[in-house]
Amino acid sequence: DAGITQSPRHKVTETGTPVTLRCHQTENHRYMYWYRQDPGHGLRLIHYSYGVKDTDKGEVSDGYSVSRSKTEDFLLTLESATSSQTSVYFCAIRTSGDTGELFFGEGSRLTVL
Amino acid sequence: GESVGLHLPTLSVQEGDNSIINCAYSNSASDYFIWYKQESGKGPQFIIDIRSNMDKRQGQRVTVLLNKTVKHLSLQIAATQPGDSAVYFCAENKEAGTALIFGKGTTLSVSS
C-alpha cells in the first residue's frame, strides 16, 4: 500500500460551482499526478507535479488548476465546474526514480449537474 | 487459447483458457511500458512492466511481449480465472519524469 488517499470519494455539485479534490500521500514521493477516466477514453492526464510548487499540464488540463504547497498534498481545482467534467478522478504517485510504475488512489467520482 | 486483434475493447474467454490482450503504442522513443488491471470501482493496479531493452518478461501467470519494430505490446494471461475479469490498460512512458500515457483499455470477461 503506497499510502494514497483521495477526498472526497464522491461529490455531486452544480454547474458553475468550484470544486477541489485532494490527494494525500504519506511517503514523501516527489511525483504526483491527476488523471480523469471516462468511458471510451481510458485514463487521461490532467496535471502532474514533480515537487513542491512544481507542476505541469497534461493533455486535458483546460478548466483545471492544481497546487502543491507541501509534498504530501496535491490539490485539483475546478474553478467553475461544467457537466463535461463529470468523471472519475484518480490521483497517482510514482514511488521511485524518474520512470516507473504509478500507484493509484481509489478515485473520486464527481457528478456535475 | 484466445487472441484478439489490436485495440478490441472486449475479450471473452472460458476459465482455463489463455488470454492475449494487445496494445499499440504511439512513440518509438518510449522506453518503459506497463500493464494495469482495473476492477470495477477501484483504481488501476500494477500487473507487470517491461523496459525497451527487453522483448519479453514473465511474471506469475502473466507474460508481457514487446515488439519495438511494430510498436506493439501484448499481455498474455495463462489459465485465465474468473478473478482475472477486469479492464486491462497498457501504458507507456515517453520520457523520464513525465507521466504514463494510457491506452483505452480492454475489458476481459472470464466465464466458468
Side-chain angles (χ1 to χ4, degrees):
Chain A
D1 183 358
I4 310 173
T5 54
Q6 292 184 228
S7 59
R9 294 290 313 279
H10 300 273
K11 185 172 182 66
V12 179
T13 191
E14 293 187 348
T15 298
T17 60
V19 175
T20 295
L21 305 179
R22 179 183 184 235
C23 178
H24 178 78
Q25 59 149 328
T26 58
E27 299 181 355
N28 290 324
H29 294 296
R30 179 181 174 194
Y31 291 96
M32 299 184 75
Y33 305 83
W34 278 107
Y35 287 85
R36 62 178 287 175
Q37 186 173 36
D38 305 287
H41 290 280
L43 287 145
R44 293 180 292 173
L45 180 68
I46 306 172
H47 282 279
Y48 68 101
S49 170
Y50 45 96
V52 172
K53 292 186 170 43
D54 292 323
T55 64
D56 207 348
K57 296 179 179 180
E59 64 178 305
V60 290
S61 59
D62 287 348
Y64 302 94
S65 63
V66 289
S67 65
R68 186 138 179 235
S69 59
K70 46 186 178 176
T71 301
E72 58 265 37
D73 288 326
F74 191 31
L75 303 181
L76 177 70
T77 296
L78 292 66
E79 300 289 348
S80 178
T82 66
S83 59
S84 65
Q85 293 176 310
T86 293
S87 187
V88 180
Y89 292 86
F90 286 98
C91 175
I93 59 174
R94 173 165 283 141
T95 56
S96 64
D98 288 339
T99 60
E101 66 180 286
L102 303 184
F103 284 98
F104 284 83
E106 290 296 295
S108 296
R109 181 174 294 277
L110 175 67
T111 302
V112 184
L113 301 176
Chain B
E2 183 98 4
S3 65
V4 289
L6 222 50
H7 296 304
L8 289 187
T10 62
L11 171 61
S12 297
V13 300
Q14 290 286 117
E15 182 178 1
D17 283 354
N18 296 328
S19 302
I20 300 175
I21 301 172
N22 296 305
C23 179
Y25 62 92
S26 58
N27 191 333
S28 57
S30 292
D31 61 359
Y32 176 76
F33 306 88
I34 191 167
W35 281 99
Y36 280 91
K37 173 185 180 182
Q38 186 177 26
E39 297 174 319
S40 181
K42 296 186 177 180
Q45 184 178 22
F46 170 85
I47 302 173
I48 192 168
D49 59 0
I50 189 167
R51 297 211 174 263
S52 59
N53 59 354
M54 304 172 68
D55 53 20
K56 180 179 180 179
R57 191 168 187 216
Q58 288 185 289
Q60 186 176 15
R61 281 200 308 118
V62 294
T63 300
V64 55
L65 299 177
L66 176 62
N67 184 331
K68 294 182 285 294
T69 302
V70 293
K71 295 192 289 186
H72 180 258
L73 193 66
S74 68
L75 176 70
Q76 300 178 0
I77 305 173
T80 313
Q81 303 168 359
D84 294 326
S85 294
V87 181
Y88 290 81
F89 293 97
C90 64
E92 62 183 301
N93 206 153
K94 293 184 179 179
E95 58 184 272
T98 62
L100 291 173
I101 304 300
F102 285 80
K104 289 184 169 48
T106 295
T107 300
L108 175 65
S109 300
V110 183
S111 53
S112 4

